[in-house]
Amino acid sequence: MSEITIDGLTKEFDDVTAVENITLDIENGEFIVFVGPSGCGKSTTLRMIAGLESITGGELRIGGQRVNDLPPKERNIAMVFPNYALYPHMTGAENMKFGMKSVSDYTDAEIDQRVQEAAEILDIPELLDRRPKELSGGERQRVAIGRALVREPEVFLLDEPLSNLDAKLRVQMRAELLQLHQDLDATTLYVTHDQTEAMTLGDRVVVMNDGRIEQVDPPQVLYDYPETRFVAEFIGSPAMNVIPIDLGYDGDAVRAVHEAFELTLPNGDRFTARPPSATFGVRPEDVSLAANAPADAQTFEAEVSVTEPLGESLLIHCYLGTDELHIKTEARSAITPGDTLELAVDEDRLH
Ligand code: ATP
């Protein structure tokens, strides 16, 4: 079993706290994605789990065993790096088996057989004799993943493995990684700054910010119920609209008051502390043209500043007093800058 327990894990470099007291239980076979902006500490977390970076605080257990001080090769993990880290003078096969002798008791014949099996899983048997410079980015990435597969690790660690690939290949490799995970069922930890990768790959997604964990949840929960403003704005593209409002109270009813709109908020009884102001969040797809909304929906007006056709939909930038509101609507809508739109929000989707 390869469940991972991260308990108060901390990493301090001289004067920088890269990772601060993170705690997380990862189940055997889970696919966990760490996502966050550059410098938030995701790679450092992965490198501590791999044993490539010393741990300055907290405890790390893999399969129940404390591994804080175990060298990488005794942790039964394999890591795939963003730059593939292939040796240029070695063929694909040589790269895949390099170092195997030192981490296993396999004979040469057994290692060759495992390289062949991994190559078949990744559909690259014909590439085994080529050197990295004779391979495309996607093919190199497959060889790098193959090198991890050959080790049959209990835990896979992948640090931005698709970052050097073009958009189309990333989509394809994402699907292949998911398939591979379904077939192998190994615990997989994946680092990315790309929220689409995080949403599509993770059983659960860990959103990190400034060395700390903001939220850990399955992708849809993260999207629908962000627990912090950081998560609300980080997950989702185009990003959630976040608008400062005043609050007005009339018995149990709570009103959101803005220079350009006034709305009665649902579940007014939640505002027990009666704050005078708040931050109002609504995703672009949860604002619609009033004409398409239910007759009893609350409406307000906004003026269009810019329209961006996204192909499958139309993104509209609106002036909302001195704030800006982005809304997503049907492609091919005849809306142009300067139009005044009557809009409605989906009350159940307000944040
Ligand atoms: P990116 O997406 O850009 O790779 P990240 O989220 O993976 O970012 P880390 O590489 O984990 O971030 O870095 C976290 C913080 O620790 C950063 O502020 C970084 O500058 C710092 N850091 C990382 N490695 C070292 C090091 N060897 N010495 C000093 N500071 C470091």
Side-chain angles (χ1 to χ4, degrees):
M1 295 296 273
S2 54
E3 68 277 5
I4 300 174
T5 310
I6 298 172
D7 188 5
L9 207 62
T10 296
K11 176 68 189 183
E12 280 165 5
F13 295 105
D14 303 330
D15 51 351
V16 180
T17 303
V19 176
E20 191 175 347
N21 192 21
I22 66 168
T23 292
L24 178 67
D25 286 331
I26 298 170
E27 285 174 30
N28 185 43
E30 245 191 315
F31 198 131
I32 292 283
V33 179
F34 290 84
V35 69
S38 187
C40 70
K42 20 185 220 306
S43 293
T44 304
T45 302
L46 207 68
R47 292 170 62 80
M48 281 194 282
I49 295 169
L52 301 173
E53 206 70 81
S54 63
I55 292 171
T56 45
E59 191 173 67
L60 176 66
R61 288 193 295 277
I62 301 178
Q65 184 193 7
R66 185 182 199 274
V67 299
N68 283 47
D69 305 312
L70 274 192
K73 65 180 184 180
E74 288 173 32
R75 296 189 185 193
N76 203 7
I77 46 137
M79 183 149 171
V80 178
F81 297 90
N83 54 4
Y84 320 132
L86 297 176
Y87 294 104
H89 59 289
M90 293 184 190
T91 63
E94 286 163 350
N95 265 291
M96 282 164 72
K97 61 182 145 183
F98 183 78
M100 276 292 285
K101 283 280 188 194
S102 64
V103 295
S104 69
D105 301 325
Y106 295 110
T107 62
D108 286 348
E110 283 168 336
I111 291 173
D112 284 342
Q113 188 190 342
R114 291 169 68 126
V115 167
Q116 201 58 43
E117 284 168 6
E120 271 157 30
I121 290 173
L122 294 162
D123 203 16
I124 52 168
E126 74 285 2
L127 305 181
L128 290 179
D129 295 331
R130 296 205 212 155
R131 293 196 163 75
K133 73 169 189 312
E134 298 161 335
L135 300 172
S136 73
E139 291 167 343
R140 277 179 217 169
Q141 189 52 279
R142 284 203 181 87
V143 173
I145 293 170
R147 184 173 49 186
L149 276 185
V150 168
R151 286 164 168 67
E152 280 187 3
E154 289 189 16
V155 180
F156 275 107
L157 305 177
L158 299 112
D159 188 356
E160 305 249 11
L162 310 185
S163 57
N164 291 326
L165 306 181
D166 68 42
K168 191 167 169 224
L169 202 50
R170 273 209 302 271
V171 173
Q172 183 191 333
M173 288 297 290
R174 237 166 41 206
E176 288 179 12
L177 284 174
L178 273 175
Q179 185 66 52
L180 202 59
H181 179 68
Q182 279 164 20
D183 294 346
L184 302 176
D185 222 16
T187 308
T188 304
L189 276 58
Y190 188 105
V191 160
T192 181
H193 63 270
D194 176 346
Q195 47 138 329
T196 310
E197 267 175 35
M199 296 291 283
T200 49
L201 288 172
D203 292 323
R204 285 190 300 158
V205 177
V206 180
V207 183
M208 289 188 71
N209 179 28
D210 209 9
R212 292 184 299 272
I213 292 179
E214 290 270 338
Q215 186 169 348
V216 185
D217 263 313
Q220 198 65 49
V221 176
L222 212 56
Y223 191 81
D224 289 340
Y225 304 103
E227 282 170 6
T228 65
R229 177 166 175 176
F230 178 84
V231 175
E233 293 187 274
F234 188 76
I235 299 290
S237 175
M240 184 187 285
N241 294 289
V242 173
I243 299 164
I245 52 165
D246 291 326
L247 292 173
Y249 298 93
D250 180 11
D252 268 352
V254 181
R255 293 188 68 68
V257 182
H258 182 268
E259 61 188 294
F261 65 87
E262 215 176 306
L263 299 170
T264 300
L265 298 178
N267 305 325
D269 52 348
R270 285 183 310 180
F271 292 81
T272 44
R274 307 229 145 189
S277 60
T279 304
F280 176 94
V282 64
R283 293 203 183 277
E285 67 272 26
D286 295 328
V287 185
S288 53
L289 300 178
N292 301 338
D296 60 350
Q298 302 187 70
T299 61
F300 57 93
E301 288 185 346
E303 188 191 329
V304 178
S305 60
V306 175
T307 59
E308 278 185 63
L310 301 178
E312 92 296 350
S313 63
L314 181 70
L315 179 65
I316 307 175
H317 300 239
C318 297
Y319 298 115
L320 198 59
T322 47
D323 288 310
E324 206 181 309
L325 179 77
H326 298 150
I327 71 172
K328 226 175 168 184
T329 189
E330 292 78 16
R332 296 171 278 275
S333 307
I335 292 172
T336 51
D339 287 356
T340 298
L341 302 180
E342 188 166 14
L343 301 173
V345 288
D346 182 344
E347 284 175 25
D348 295 331
R349 298 244 170 261
L350 297 181
H351 302 268

